[in-house]
Amino acid sequence: MQLHQLKSFVTVAEVRHFTQAADLVGITQPSLSKQIHALENTLGAPLFERVRGNITLTVAGEVLLPLARRILADVDTATREVQELVGLRRGWVRIGATPSLATSLAPPVLRRFHDAYPAVELRVEEGGSQDLVRGLLRGALDLALIVLPAHGTDPGLRTEPILRESLVVASLDELPAARPTGRLRITDLRDQPLVMFREGYDLRDVTLQACREAGFEPSFTVDGGEMDAVLSFVEAGLGVALVPGIVVARRPGIRVTPLAPPGVTRTVALARRRDAVPTQASRELRRILLGYVQTTMAADGTTVVTDSD
């Protein structure tokens, strides 16, 4: 089994087209087909089925795909690590972040990293926590800023809680239920139309769980938005949303109402694959991130999670 065979296999599996895969890999289509056949002979099982022009994975192909992706990712990591050890200041680090963290926490941290290591390319993926976890597990990301779910994380990940955020109610106008305390209870949202995030967003799960624990099923006016879209819908008066306070700090058109104790919080964690050895670049990015959280964000009043929490 050779690396170029695995790369060809993964490319075909992703695009489901031999000619397109050959163009992406940079070889001819007959050469790519020979590589796939050689890999199938080595494994003793067919990897693809060709039915009426459609290419699908066999059971053996489905088993091999995540393993092949992980092998290629580990080889990539090893190459970068060796380059760094011999003094070559180049390469890249791949980090994922949820939309709210990609627009708040990530920019200043990435700027500090870039200033310190300008030759290292930053590759950023924005997505929901569940999508980022899948990216980590298949080796497509080195690090990810995710929100810890209530039911625990995948055992294949190593997670490091770094801060705890309080969620607030974002609305166009002041909500009557907030008077005179200036705060809202979750039960006050029972009759409020909500603008809801799409499936896969941790904020969707947090909102639904909080409402259900309060004894009601929320009603949506808009369902399926990304972060910017949800805030824009709130600004348009379509409903209210439960969001981290940090994302509405620069949206003067949105009114922010805190929740009465105990409120609703979420814990942000830095995650990586448990069985992957972190590169020097990813270790430095982690160091810069933790330094920023423990100084700048703590000074802004965000609850920083320490080892003793």
Side-chain angles (χ1 to χ4, degrees), residues 7-171:
K7 184 176 181 181
S8 294
F9 162 71
V10 170
T11 306
V12 174
E14 290 176 345
V15 301
R16 302 301 171 100
H17 196 282
F18 273 74
T19 302
Q20 291 179 10
D23 290 340
L24 291 172
V25 174
I27 60 177
T28 64
Q29 191 271 331
S31 296
L32 181 137
S33 295
K34 289 180 181 179
Q35 290 183 10
I36 298 299
H37 288 314
L39 182 58
E40 290 175 329
N41 289 336
T42 298
L43 296 173
L47 300 173
F48 296 102
E49 292 180 346
R50 302 161 183 82
V51 180
R52 298 177 182 176
N54 295 321
I55 297 175
T56 60
L57 287 168
T58 63
V59 174
E62 293 283 1
V63 170
L64 177 62
L65 183 57
L67 299 174
R69 283 174 169 158
R70 184 170 295 182
I71 291 170
L72 293 173
D74 287 343
V75 169
D76 178 63
T77 298
T79 301
R80 285 183 288 154
E81 188 72 3
V82 171
Q83 288 175 344
E84 291 172 351
L85 286 175
V86 298
L88 298 177
R89 303 305 301 167
R90 63 184 185 186
W92 58 89
V93 59
R94 306 162 301 178
I95 183 168
T98 64
S100 60
L101 297 170
T103 58
S104 57
L105 176 56
V109 170
L110 297 185
R111 174 56 189 268
R112 291 187 180 196
F113 181 88
H114 177 70
D115 289 345
Y117 304 98
V120 178
E121 179 185 347
L122 290 162
R123 299 181 179 179
V124 181
E125 179 177 330
E126 184 178 344
S129 292
Q130 297 173 27
D131 299 326
L132 298 177
V133 165
R134 286 190 286 269
L136 287 169
L137 292 175
R138 72 171 185 268
L141 294 172
D142 299 309
L143 299 168
L145 288 164
I146 66 171
V147 176
L148 293 181
H151 52 75
T153 57
D154 191 288
L157 295 182
R158 184 183 300 277
T159 57
E160 184 175 10
I162 58 175
L163 60 90
R164 190 171 295 115
E165 294 181 302
S166 295
L167 303 187
V168 299
V169 178
S171 62

Side-chain angles (χ1 to χ4, degrees), residues 127-259:
S129 292
Q130 297 173 27
D131 299 326
L132 298 177
V133 165
R134 286 190 286 269
L136 287 169
L137 292 175
R138 72 171 185 268
L141 294 172
D142 299 309
L143 299 168
L145 288 164
I146 66 171
V147 176
L148 293 181
H151 52 75
T153 57
D154 191 288
L157 295 182
R158 184 183 300 277
T159 57
E160 184 175 10
I162 58 175
L163 60 90
R164 190 171 295 115
E165 294 181 302
S166 295
L167 303 187
V168 299
V169 178
S171 62
L172 178 62
D173 302 308
E174 182 181 14
L175 300 179
R179 302 190 190 105
T181 64
R183 294 178 178 269
L184 289 167
R185 299 167 299 172
I186 286 295
T187 52
D188 294 327
L189 301 181
R190 183 189 302 271
D191 300 320
Q192 289 292 332
L194 297 185
V195 178
M196 184 51 63
F197 295 91
R198 67 167 172 82
E199 294 282 353
Y201 254 58
D202 62 274
L203 287 170
R204 180 188 185 93
D205 296 336
V206 168
T207 301
L208 291 175
Q209 180 181 351
C211 292
R212 288 167 181 166
E213 288 179 351
F216 68 96
E217 194 71 23
S219 60
F220 308 151
T221 51
V222 181
D223 186 6
E226 302 279 348
M227 177 60 71
D228 284 342
V230 165
L231 295 178
S232 295
F233 294 148
V234 171
E235 287 176 320
L238 287 170
V240 305
L242 205 58
V243 299
I246 196 169
V247 303
V248 290
R250 299 179 182 87
R251 309 285 291 237
I254 294 179
R255 179 178 291 274
V256 176
T257 306
L259 290 168

